[in-house]
Amino acid sequence: MDEDLKKPKAQNGNVSGALDTKKHDEPKAAALQKNVGLVSGICLIVGTMIGSGIFISPKSVLDGTGAVGPCLCVWAACGVLATLGALCYAELGTMIVKSGGEYPYLMEGFGPVLAYLYSWTTIIVLKPSSFAIIALSCAEYASTPFYPGCTPPPVVTKCLAAACILIITLINCLSVKLAYRVQNFFTAAKLLIIVVIVIAGIVLLAQGNTQNLRDPFAGATTSFGAIGLAFYNGLWAYDGWNQLNFITEELKNPYRNLPLAIIIGIPLVTVCYIFVNIAYFSVMTPTELLQSPAVAVTFGDRVLYPLSWIVPLFVVFSTFGAANGSCFTAGRLTYVAGREGHMVRFMSYISVTRYTPSPALMFNGILSIIYIMPADINTLINYFSFAQWVFYGLTCLALIVMRFTRKELERPVKVPIIIPVVVVIVSCYLVLAPIIDQPEMEYLYCTLFIVGGLLLYVPFIYYRFNWTRRIMRPLTMHFQLFMQVVPPEKTE
């Protein structure tokens, strides 16, 4: 600023043009740039939520509820719950304008230990397993047309999933703008196939195909744990409602765009999901839906023939877009945790030419490829949901706690306190119901893994042993030279 004031004035009134040119030519700081606008924010939410879930979860939700009526009620209730949770996150995201999803909110509300346990669990298990699940779904739908009448060999599915993960990780490492342009394109594609399915369902219902909806509650399941598992699978399809909070620092005008993208995006997804499920039941009985290896493909074969091939094609587009959104946000959490010293510091480094957190993105991609090897999608979903809803509940509890402990913080968006209370109660139900109804060792393993993070926290983060620094310093230097990355600069 001072240098500009000392310069002689440009002739012919070209001062502002000269300053604009200088500003344009200045190199950017080595930090994440504010490149994400409202439309891209909505596309990130919608594009990450509408992925493999609506094409996989209908079977699991129906299996847990036992009838069409409760199934549709669970889908609607999941949409309401996702909206309530997102409203809580809108308050948190405009109160604490930091990237990293739940991480900075748990840090402010409960301190570094709980924030570390969240980052440990999410970075090592939740985010890469989610990425792996979506990539496997993409690969399954991409390979199904080449194996008519049978299931694709697991090795083919896993190789395609690994290729999907590598391509998406490369895209996100190359450019933030390229990543969200890919996201916008695939979000438009998935909304197109949703519209096709919904219109086809409406036409069939108008023609009188309502037999599966006439007695919707016959044979409904009332088991406490079964309903909880149905909610798990429904909420898996809705997962992604919190994705914008992972990139708050990259949002243009976050105080406006964060809540607005949530208010537009999540109700849109809820309406789409309910109508898509109604469309499925206009063609298939509950038994046929449960027996279908790929619900959307079966729907296309019966309704859109000879153009039924467009359904698996657009489902591949849908899952690819969701995987891209998952990768985009996962890298930001690893980046923020590294910046705060809760992960290896190198994970917070930024590419000097592309301004992307490439070390964090590559780390997430490598873990995701490892997770596709022992692939069992349903087990991974249950494992993912159990741990994730522990942290969703704790984050909304942090919102309640900070209403009393951090009154000085500005709250551009302030939700009624009953909303986070409801989300905390529902989170407790979703965590405890399956354990009480049908205890399984995987829940114990998950809990032990979360708490086990303290074994690394105490020596390496709390006490900061010097010998670890002596080992990491030369490794970090060589990685910097190889990957051309530097520590992030402060831009404020």
Side-chain angles (χ1 to χ4, degrees):
M1 182 72 73
D2 293 336
E3 291 179 4
D4 290 337
L5 293 174
K6 292 176 185 177
K7 289 179 180 179
K9 293 183 179 180
Q11 296 180 355
N12 301 325
N14 289 329
V15 176
S16 60
L19 293 177
D20 287 343
T21 302
K22 179 182 182 299
K23 187 176 181 180
H24 183 269
D25 292 338
E26 285 178 351
K28 297 177 183 177
L32 300 181
Q33 309 295 313
K34 290 185 178 291
N35 288 323
V36 183
L38 176 60
V39 173
S40 295
I42 294 171
C43 287
L44 181 63
I45 292 175
V46 175
T48 308
M49 289 176 73
I50 302 177
S52 60
I54 190 57
F55 309 111
I56 291 176
S57 297
K59 290 199 296 184
S60 301
V61 175
L62 180 61
D63 188 42
T65 55
V68 174
C71 177
L72 295 177
C73 289
V74 166
W75 280 105
C78 288
V80 172
L81 182 60
T83 303
L84 295 178
L87 289 173
C88 297
Y89 277 55
E91 176 175 333
L92 288 164
T94 52
M95 179 174 68
I96 303 168
V97 190
K98 292 183 179 180
S99 295
E102 291 85 353
Y103 179 82
Y105 316 142
L106 293 172
M107 179 79 81
E108 292 288 340
F110 299 117
V113 174
L114 195 55
Y116 166 78
L117 290 179
Y118 165 76
S119 64
W120 154 258
T121 308
T122 307
I123 291 169
I124 302 300
V125 176
L126 300 185
K127 280 294 185 182
S129 68
S130 173
F131 194 7
I133 291 166
I134 301 169
L136 283 165
S137 302
C138 180
E140 190 173 321
Y141 275 92
S143 56
T144 296
F146 298 98
Y147 296 89
C150 63
T151 304
V155 66
V156 172
T157 304
K158 291 178 182 181
C159 287
L160 282 175
C164 175
I165 290 169
L166 289 172
I167 291 168
I168 289 170
T169 302
L170 178 62
I171 289 170
N172 280 268
C173 288
L174 288 175
S175 168
V176 172
K177 289 185 177 180
L178 177 60
Y180 71 69
R181 282 171 183 164
V182 167
Q183 190 68 25
N184 294 356
F185 172 80
F186 284 103
T187 298
K190 67 184 66 182
L191 287 175
L192 177 60
I193 193 59
I194 291 286
V195 169
V196 169
I197 292 173
V198 169
I199 291 175
I202 291 171
V203 171
L204 289 167
L205 291 174
Q207 292 173 348
N209 293 286
T210 59
Q211 59 273 14
N212 297 324
L213 302 170
R214 286 173 187 164
D215 191 8
F217 289 89
T221 301
T222 56
S223 167
F224 187 73
I227 296 294
L229 286 174
F231 266 95
Y232 266 0
N233 287 284
L235 289 166
W236 161 249
Y238 280 96
D239 195 68
W241 51 266
N242 63 330
Q243 294 301 289
L244 214 52
N245 292 74
F246 283 89
I247 61 162
T248 309
E249 295 172 27
E250 295 173 77
L251 270 178
K252 299 173 183 175
N253 192 4
Y255 301 109
R256 170 184 175 270
N257 290 340
L258 178 62
L260 199 56
I262 286 169
I263 292 168
I264 294 171
I266 298 174
L268 173 63
V269 173
T270 304
V271 171
C272 288
Y273 280 3
I274 293 171
F275 277 102
V276 166
N277 276 277
I278 292 173
Y280 289 156
F281 288 118
S282 71
V283 174
M284 290 173 273
T285 65
T287 303
E288 288 173 334
L289 192 143
L290 289 172
Q291 293 174 347
S292 170
V295 178
V297 173
T298 302
F299 179 90
D301 289 339
R302 295 189 181 186
V303 177
L304 302 175
Y305 186 83
L307 298 177
S308 54
W309 56 269
I310 69 170
V311 174
L313 175 64
F314 275 87
V315 172
V316 170
F317 289 168
S318 177
T319 49
F320 188 89
N324 181 71
S326 176
C327 177
F328 190 88
T329 55
R332 273 59 186 176
L333 172 60
T334 310
Y335 159 81
V336 172
R339 187 176 64 186
E340 297 294 329
H342 283 175
M343 283 288 289
V344 178
R345 187 75 66 177
F346 175 71
M347 293 296 174
S348 68
Y349 284 17
I350 299 289
S351 169
V352 293
T353 56
R354 304 190 182 278
Y355 307 103
T356 59
S358 49
L361 291 164
M362 290 180 185
F363 181 73
N364 180 63
I366 291 167
L367 286 180
S368 300
I369 291 174
I370 292 171
Y371 273 102
I372 67 174
M373 296 176 185
D376 179 353
I377 291 180
N378 286 326
T379 302
L380 280 173
I381 288 174
N382 292 337
Y383 186 81
F384 172 84
S385 300
F386 166 76
Q388 189 66 76
W389 277 95
V390 170
F391 292 114
Y392 286 159
L394 287 171
T395 303
C396 291
L397 182 61
L399 173 59
I400 298 170
V401 169
M402 284 190 284
R403 285 283 181 93
F404 301 97
T405 61
R406 302 298 302 273
K407 294 181 179 180
E408 77 281 2
L409 292 175
E410 293 186 14
R411 292 170 169 83
V413 175
K414 190 172 183 179
V415 299
I417 198 164
I418 188 64
I419 292 180
V421 169
V422 168
V423 177
V424 170
I425 292 170
V426 173
S427 299
C428 290
Y429 167 74
L430 290 171
V431 170
L432 296 176
I435 299 174
I436 294 170
D437 186 71
Q438 191 176 358
E440 293 184 8
M441 292 302 292
E442 65 183 25
Y443 300 123
L444 176 62
Y445 296 150
C446 181
T447 305
L448 290 174
F449 181 85
I450 294 171
V451 177
L454 293 174
L455 296 175
L456 294 176
Y457 179 82
V458 173
F460 298 117
I461 297 170
Y462 186 78
Y463 286 109
R464 297 180 182 274
F465 289 160
N466 288 329
W467 61 268
T468 59
R469 297 183 185 180
R470 288 197 297 270
I471 294 172
M472 288 306 300
R473 191 173 289 116
L475 288 175
T476 300
M477 183 181 69
H478 284 92
F479 275 122
Q480 276 190 266
L481 292 171
F482 177 70
M483 298 180 65
Q484 294 187 328
V485 292
V486 293
E489 297 177 24
K490 292 184 178 180
T491 55
E492 294 182 357

